[in-house]
Amino acid sequence: MLRDIFGQAMEAMRFNGRRTMITILGMAWGIATVVLLLAFGAGFGRAFEAIFSQFGTNMIGVFPGTTSEQAGGAKAGVKVRFTQEDVERIQETVPGIIRVSPVDFKTVPVSNELHNYTWEVDGITPALQQIQKMDLSAGRAMSEADLVSRAHVAIIGSEAKTKLFSGLYPIGESIHVNGVSFQIIGVLKPKMQEGDDNDNRIVNIPLSTMSDLKDTKYLGGIWMSYQGDHMAVERALRNTLGAAHAFRPSDKNAIFVANLMEQLSQFRAVSIGLQVLLLFIGALTLGIAGIGLMNIMLVSVKQRTREIGVEKALGARKRHILFQFLAEALVISSVGGVTGVALAYAVSKLIGSVKFYSAIAANATDADIHLIISPNSVLVATTILIIVGTISGMIPAMQAANLDPIEALRYE
């Protein structure tokens, strides 16, 4: 019976070929819009993930500030200073911590025989290279031996390499940092960098050697990687340092915490909101196509009223008529859906990506919006299509099934 019903549906579609084709194109346009909008929304979310993932998301940086709240007998306005003891304290008492690295920094002259610049120089430990995903394009990483021996070695950013050495191979060459000679052992892969940001110009040297450039009694900051809930780790961090330095954990100015996962969570919320909005817009577009399908099916019912009357006179039941017209609507929806998904894939391949972060930042093509159609997008769009197609076909089908056979036979 189902074969007969679908056979009748195909025959009716062929009989009204032009009308059917226009309806199929409308459904195809609607489903393609849904799929492409979902791909755009997902690409928007992936762009933010790419921006944060270049540095590593499960990491927190903490930097000293000045208290703004009175704590116990201590007045506000006291400077907080970090020492190596704080590094050990964090490692031992804050739950979920994997690695901890102190850092110090200073802006000083950096030069070689041909060029002279003023750049930021960071004193780091080998652990920071893993915490901040400091991937190398050439040379080797900093080792514990470099730290212990206070070696005069440096790992430079990609832009620093270009400015100092142009196209020359820099590994093994020497530079002068505030007049002190350092040998280059590595070059970092380029990071995404906006405008005049110095992310790719930083010169990294062992923290122990930083004492040749400045007083290192107090640290510039502390970076750490962790596992678990980022907010729980931040609360524990504030409690630990607050107890050690006599400030309230709620005092946001006493220490400044860079919690990358918290920032990423905020962007994820924005991304989810955008995807819901785009899905709503796509569903409305497909709904408009569904209204077109419904109108065409109502016209078809009107034109085939006598045919319906004959079928009922020959013994066709309501469900047979209902399934006949519903099948026609579902076939049109299915053909339109397949065509629309194919169209969406073709458009996504043709466009490829939409400029986003690379419009304002260098080395940021990975953070552009790439129109990659995922199976989930197709599944969601197909679900919406089934709902729209069923509703659009059901109303005309019910009208056809409820026709009085005698009145239908009299219809001119």
Side-chain angles (χ1 to χ4, degrees):
M1 184 182 69
L2 287 177
R3 177 181 293 181
D4 293 337
I5 289 174
F6 279 99
Q8 290 176 345
M10 295 299 294
E11 185 64 32
M13 289 168 59
R14 282 194 294 269
F15 182 76
N16 299 293
R18 183 179 299 178
R19 186 176 66 192
T20 300
M21 186 59 63
I22 293 173
T23 308
I24 287 174
L25 289 176
M27 297 300 291
W29 179 262
I31 195 72
T33 301
V34 174
V35 173
L36 287 173
L37 287 175
L38 288 175
F40 184 88
F44 185 80
R46 284 192 296 269
F48 279 117
E49 296 282 348
I51 294 171
F52 282 89
S53 65
Q54 66 171 331
F55 298 105
T57 51
N58 279 37
M59 69 174 185
I60 291 177
V62 58
F63 305 92
T66 303
T67 61
S68 59
E69 300 178 11
Q70 184 174 350
K75 295 181 178 180
V78 177
K79 287 186 177 181
V80 177
R81 297 184 183 275
F82 292 158
T83 64
Q84 188 62 38
E85 292 180 357
D86 291 304
V87 178
E88 298 168 0
R89 186 178 292 114
I90 290 171
Q91 183 74 71
E92 294 171 358
T93 62
V94 177
I97 294 297
I98 301 174
R99 296 183 183 88
V100 182
S101 173
V103 293
D104 210 347
F105 33 82
K106 186 178 182 180
T107 300
V108 297
V110 178
S111 63
N112 60 3
E113 294 179 355
L114 300 176
H115 304 283
N116 186 24
Y117 301 98
T118 300
W119 287 337
E120 178 183 324
V121 176
D122 289 2
I124 67 171
T125 68
L128 188 69
Q129 298 171 118
Q130 295 173 295
I131 294 172
Q132 292 191 349
K133 294 180 65 175
M134 298 173 68
D135 299 325
L136 296 171
S137 62
R140 67 171 179 86
M142 188 180 298
S143 67
E144 288 292 339
D146 295 326
L147 191 69
V148 172
S149 65
R150 300 182 71 253
H152 282 209
V153 295
I155 297 174
I156 61 176
S158 59
E159 187 180 347
K161 178 260 179 189
T162 300
K163 288 183 176 294
L164 288 170
F165 298 99
S166 298
L168 299 177
Y169 187 68
I171 304 303
E173 299 294 329
S174 295
I175 58 174
H176 289 87
V177 179
N178 205 25
V180 181
S181 180
F182 284 81
Q183 184 183 53
I184 295 175
I185 60 170
V187 178
L188 296 175
K189 290 182 179 179
K191 299 281 189 182
M192 299 179 193
Q193 177 177 302
E194 294 183 32
D196 293 330
D197 288 353
N198 67 343
D199 295 334
N200 293 314
R201 293 195 298 269
I202 295 174
V203 176
N204 300 282
I205 65 174
L207 181 64
S208 57
T209 316
M210 195 72 179
S211 59
D212 291 348
L213 307 181
K214 65 184 292 287
D215 183 1
T216 57
K217 179 180 179 181
Y218 299 112
L219 303 173
I222 303 171
W223 283 99
M224 64 210 76
S225 60
Y226 64 91
Q227 58 186 2
D229 179 50
H230 63 281
M231 293 306 297
V233 173
E234 181 177 339
R235 285 193 296 270
L237 177 65
R238 288 186 177 277
N239 289 335
T240 296
L241 294 177
H245 294 275
F247 65 83
R248 293 184 179 181
S250 60
D251 191 346
K252 301 296 184 182
N253 293 321
I255 57 172
F256 301 100
V257 178
N259 191 337
L260 268 69
M261 202 63 196
E262 180 181 5
Q263 298 174 35
L264 179 58
S265 298
Q266 294 171 354
F267 282 114
R268 281 175 175 170
V270 172
S271 175
I272 291 172
L274 177 65
Q275 291 182 58
V276 171
L277 176 62
L278 293 176
L279 177 60
F280 179 70
I281 294 172
L284 284 180
T285 304
L286 189 54
I288 293 171
I291 292 173
L293 172 62
M294 186 189 303
N295 288 333
I296 292 298
M297 292 305 299
L298 287 171
V299 171
S300 179
V301 170
K302 200 75 172 176
Q303 290 178 342
R304 296 162 62 186
T305 299
R306 284 182 63 84
E307 176 189 331
I308 296 168
V310 172
E311 290 180 358
K312 287 197 169 187
L314 293 175
R317 298 178 180 272
K318 280 188 175 183
R319 68 173 182 272
H320 298 142
I321 305 298
L322 181 71
F323 286 148
Q324 178 184 342
F325 283 89
L326 183 59
E328 186 175 337
L330 290 178
V331 169
I332 292 174
S333 299
S334 300
V335 175
V338 172
T339 306
V341 170
L343 176 62
Y345 271 104
V347 172
S348 68
K349 291 292 184 183
L350 182 64
I351 295 177
S353 62
V354 179
K355 273 188 175 294
F356 178 55
Y357 196 52
S358 66
I360 60 173
N363 312 308
T365 54
D366 287 344
D368 283 337
I369 298 174
H370 298 276
L371 295 180
I372 301 174
I373 298 175
S374 68
N376 287 338
S377 299
V378 176
L379 180 61
V380 170
T382 302
T383 303
I384 297 174
L385 175 67
I386 292 172
I387 295 172
V388 170
T390 302
I391 294 174
S392 300
M394 183 64 73
I395 294 174
M398 290 176 64
Q399 179 176 321
N402 290 326
L403 283 175
D404 182 81
I406 296 175
E407 294 296 328
L409 288 170
R410 288 177 180 173
Y411 183 80
E412 295 294 337

